Amino acid sequence: MNLSNWNTPLSYLGLATLAYITIKFTRSATTFLLPSGLTRYNRTKANWALVTGASDGIGFGFCQELCHRGFNVILHGRNRAKLEKRVQGLNAQFPMAKVEIVVCDVVGLTGAVDEIGSEVREILTAQGGELSVLVNNVGGETRPYTVLSDLRFDEVDATIAKNAVFMTQITRVLLPLLEKGDGGLCVYAATKGFVDSFTKALEAECKNEKRNVEVLGLRVGQVRTAGFDIAPGLFSPEARTLASAGLNRIGCGRVIVWAYFWHWLQGLSFDIMPRWLLVKVSIDRMMALKKEDEEKAKKR
Ligand SMILES: NC(=O)c1ccc[n+]([C@@H]2O[C@H](COP(=O)([O-])OP(=O)(O)OC[C@H]3O[C@@H](n4cnc5c(N)ncnc54)[C@H](OP(=O)(O)O)[C@@H]3O)[C@@H](O)[C@H]2O)c1
């Protein structure tokens, strides 16, 4: 190695780039080593978490993990009978936890969404404790693997309602309660542009207004759920594993983080990959999933 070359501007640029990448990588990786800050939102052991889209999948995984970690839980969903069944399951599995439900279809939302605030207030008055955690989980696609031009108006509208509109409205409605509940707001989000921007803006707004609320956006890769019946594996964990990993990231000091270590590694590889390769890998994967889905539908 010729050390005399180390003084060129290009070597300084190389060193600066290396330092930047190392700092970025280390900051991102350390989130998996820090202990969870969740306990600070339930010092009294009487506090509540509200999980949206809680009757199935990742949302229900969050409910199980929150009950396991000593919270009382309010399940949000659209199907009362399914939610009540979930309540029975949680009561049997976690007899110490109080479990309640709120019912609201997030598609076709009206001003009646404000009533969720009143319902939650009634629960807290009757049962005690404060609302200290909100997991904004509800979302998903209306007709998966379909290009925009093949979707109908109502399908596009429903997808935006599920992934963006409801989370904004429910956060608005519940923010005053969360603030009273010693400030825990866990915004669960998939890798959705609006959700990322909303989370970052909300975090900045809360900080600026000195609100005692922590905002965290969780990035998520593939997770095995009832609606997404993929083979379980290192890169496709069960819903509860993902939920547990997500809760462990609370208090990590960052606004948007990967919830689960193996998804983080995947995300890192996507960051490094050239865009054409990323697009190819993503489309190939989507096509394979679509084919699997069609074959399963034929067998049904
Ligand atoms: N699974 C994955 O691999 C994956 C990957 C990345 C991101 N995500 C994101 O993670 C979140 C949860 O996904 P998941 O796979 O757990 O979904 P899921 O298994 O399909 O569960 C979705 C939940 O949302 C509820 N829901 C759906 N439409 C609703 C509506 N119109 N009104 C009220 N509730 C409604 C469902 O209720 P019902 O029980 O009544 O249907 C269910 O409780 C979503 O935001 C999704 O985009 C998932």
Side-chain angles (χ1 to χ4, degrees):
M1 189 165 46
N2 182 357
L3 287 177
S4 62
N5 284 346
W6 280 97
N7 277 335
T8 64
L10 215 54
S11 347
Y12 285 125
L13 189 66
L15 275 177
T17 309
L18 190 67
Y20 174 76
I21 291 170
T22 310
I23 291 166
K24 263 204 110 173
F25 177 84
T26 313
R27 278 194 63 210
S28 170
T30 46
T31 58
F32 293 97
L33 303 173
L34 296 172
S36 171
L38 182 68
T39 46
R40 99 171 70 112
Y41 300 113
N42 196 16
R43 289 205 177 98
T44 59
K45 304 275 180 235
N47 279 356
W48 294 79
L50 189 145
V51 182
T52 70
S55 58
D56 226 322
I58 298 172
F60 186 65
F62 267 107
C63 294
Q64 289 176 301
E65 207 43 47
L66 284 157
C67 286
H68 173 67
R69 296 181 189 212
F71 277 82
N72 300 315
V73 177
I74 302 171
L75 279 67
H76 155 265
R78 59 183 160 178
N79 181 333
R80 185 175 290 277
K82 191 169 175 181
L83 285 168
E84 278 167 357
K85 236 179 165 172
R86 289 303 198 185
V87 172
Q88 282 173 14
L90 289 171
N91 283 337
Q93 210 180 348
F94 307 101
M96 301 296 283
K98 294 174 188 164
V99 186
E100 295 284 343
I101 59 172
V102 289
V103 183
C104 172
D105 194 324
V106 306
V107 177
L109 205 64
T110 65
V113 66
D114 287 17
E115 282 165 22
I116 295 182
S118 317
E119 284 179 48
V120 172
R121 272 188 194 88
E122 273 170 32
I123 292 170
L124 301 179
T125 309
Q127 309 252 28
E130 302 286 356
L131 181 74
S132 64
V133 172
L134 167 63
V135 182
N136 265 322
N137 161 79
V138 73
E141 291 174 86
T142 313
R143 188 149 55 102
Y145 319 119
T146 311
V147 294
L148 183 61
S149 52
D150 288 346
L151 288 171
R152 294 192 313 265
F153 169 85
D154 57 304
E155 290 170 334
V156 171
D157 200 47
T159 303
I160 297 171
K162 268 204 262 190
N163 293 283
V165 177
F166 184 70
M167 80 165 288
T168 312
Q169 294 291 3
I170 194 78
T171 304
R172 172 185 63 80
V173 169
L174 295 179
L175 202 52
L177 287 177
L178 285 160
E179 219 178 351
K180 265 178 79 189
D182 208 13
L185 171 66
C186 169
V187 175
Y188 165 79
T191 47
K192 300 165 187 144
F194 173 85
V195 179
D196 271 14
S197 305
F198 174 79
T199 305
K200 285 182 197 161
L202 179 69
E203 197 264 349
E205 189 174 285
C206 287
K207 233 180 213 157
N208 188 42
E209 294 199 337
K210 299 196 173 35
R211 281 180 188 263
N212 185 21
V213 171
E214 178 180 342
V215 180
L216 177 66
L218 298 178
R219 288 220 168 115
V220 174
Q222 288 189 345
V223 180
R224 189 175 132 84
T225 60
F228 193 36
D229 186 19
I230 41 169
L234 202 57
F235 293 100
S236 41
E238 299 287 349
R240 188 164 167 192
T241 308
L242 186 281
S244 175
L247 294 176
N248 287 342
R249 304 285 82 77
I250 291 176
C252 69
R254 308 194 72 195
V255 185
I256 311 276
V257 289
W258 285 94
Y260 174 71
F261 176 78
W262 297 103
H263 286 165
W264 170 74
L265 267 190
Q266 263 180 335
L268 210 64
S269 65
F270 293 159
D271 278 350
I272 295 164
M273 242 182 237
R275 190 173 150 70
W276 66 266
L277 185 60
L278 180 61
V279 170
K280 185 177 177 335
V281 169
S282 310
I283 287 180
D284 286 353
R285 176 73 183 139
M286 206 127 81
M287 288 302 150
L289 285 171
K290 184 178 181 180
K291 210 168 148 203
E292 256 175 54
D293 218 44
E294 283 164 355
E295 271 157 23
K296 270 183 208 151
K298 265 188 228 155
K299 282 183 198 154
R300 264 182 238 133

